[in-house]
Amino acid sequence: MYGPAATYAQELARAFRAAPPSDTHLGIGPVVLRLSSVTKRYGRKPALRGVDLCLRAGQIAAVVGANGSGKSTLLDICAGLIRPTTGSVERVAHIGYAPQQHGVAPLLTPAEHFTLFGATRGMSRRSAIDSGMRLAGRLGWRPKPGLTAAQLSGGTQQKLNVVLAELDEPELLLLDEPYQGFDRGSYIDFWEQAFSWRDSGCGVLVVTHMQHDLDRVDHVVELHVAEES
């Protein structure tokens, strides 16, 4: 639909760089994520080379690049799931993470997910369910009682993934192409929600390959496929 992936990623990154950063939103705050010369290698194979970023509370950074450029690897490093080979990562402790795949348990209902994830964050069952239902509504989704995650469409599973990441209002949100399977309306709802997170003082790092409101994004991290050396 958009032509070769590498060409589209280059055009997207160029559009990001051409758009002036927005200063209309409220409350740019302290640093929530700092990457300094982050690299990652698997044996002789490079996955990331020299990534730098300073993300503050109240900002959104978008990660763009062709397939194989290390976007998911970068988010895993930011989440603390894997270590960089070289470089440093500083981040706040209170984060929410929505991976691209395997973020939900197929046999649990959305309410059970809210309860489980909420319990790990010190939330009561009632508070977790109420928060989950409220946040789901902002993405245009009303969870039906009794349906397990396996019975949800791929797009709705991604909505569940996003809700779980933001359930207890983290300081930093890490989102790996969270809109996969969304229809156009849900995609727009997602970005409006992302801007509301930013306005409330959250820092947001999102992997994306689609254009939306480029003039309202604060940073772009453009990744390239690293060649073996």
Side-chain angles (χ1 to χ4, degrees):
M1 178 176 181
Y2 296 104
T7 300
Y8 182 77
Q10 291 171 359
E11 291 301 317
L12 176 60
R14 188 175 298 115
F16 268 104
R17 288 195 297 268
S22 170
D23 58 3
T24 60
H25 56 280
L26 301 176
I28 303 301
V31 174
V32 294
L33 176 67
R34 190 191 305 274
L35 308 177
S36 301
S37 301
V38 169
T39 68
K40 182 63 180 178
R41 299 183 65 89
Y42 295 99
R44 293 179 55 86
K45 183 178 180 180
L48 290 171
R49 283 183 174 171
V51 180
D52 296 292
L53 173 67
C54 180
L55 180 65
R56 294 181 176 274
Q59 292 184 326
I60 297 178
V63 181
V64 300
N67 290 340
S69 59
K71 298 185 297 293
S72 293
T73 297
L74 179 62
L75 257 69
D76 282 345
I77 289 174
C78 292
L81 299 179
I82 59 177
R83 293 179 178 273
T85 303
T86 61
S88 64
V89 179
E90 303 170 54
R91 63 180 172 273
V92 293
H94 190 191
I95 71 171
Y97 179 41
Q100 190 176 27
Q101 296 179 333
H102 311 304
V104 300
L107 298 182
L108 296 183
T109 67
E112 289 169 338
H113 278 88
F114 303 152
T115 301
L116 178 62
F117 277 66
T120 66
R121 301 168 187 180
M123 302 173 69
S124 69
R125 179 179 181 276
R126 185 71 266 163
S127 176
I129 291 176
D130 287 347
S131 179
M133 297 297 286
R134 174 176 53 81
L135 295 171
R138 292 182 179 178
L139 293 175
W141 169 44
R142 185 184 298 275
K144 295 181 179 179
L147 286 183
T148 65
Q151 295 172 293
L152 304 176
S153 69
T156 305
Q157 288 185 25
Q158 284 298 89
K159 291 181 182 181
L160 175 57
N161 213 10
V162 171
V163 170
L164 294 175
E166 62 166 325
L167 192 64
D168 65 335
E169 300 181 351
E171 297 173 81
L172 171 64
L173 271 170
L174 306 171
L175 308 170
D176 192 353
E177 295 196 36
Y179 45 76
Q180 290 288 343
F182 283 14
D183 58 26
R184 177 172 174 78
S186 296
Y187 177 73
I188 292 173
D189 287 342
F190 163 75
W191 276 103
E192 288 305 314
Q193 181 66 359
F195 298 133
S196 73
W197 293 328
R198 180 179 68 179
D199 291 341
S200 68
C202 182
V204 182
L205 182 66
V206 55
V207 171
T208 183
H209 64 275
M210 300 180 70
Q211 299 183 49
H212 189 280
D213 287 336
L214 302 186
D215 60 331
R216 297 173 66 188
V217 174
D218 304 284
H219 304 286
V220 60
V221 179
E222 182 183 3
L223 302 182
H224 302 276
V225 178
E227 298 180 359
E228 292 192 34
S229 58

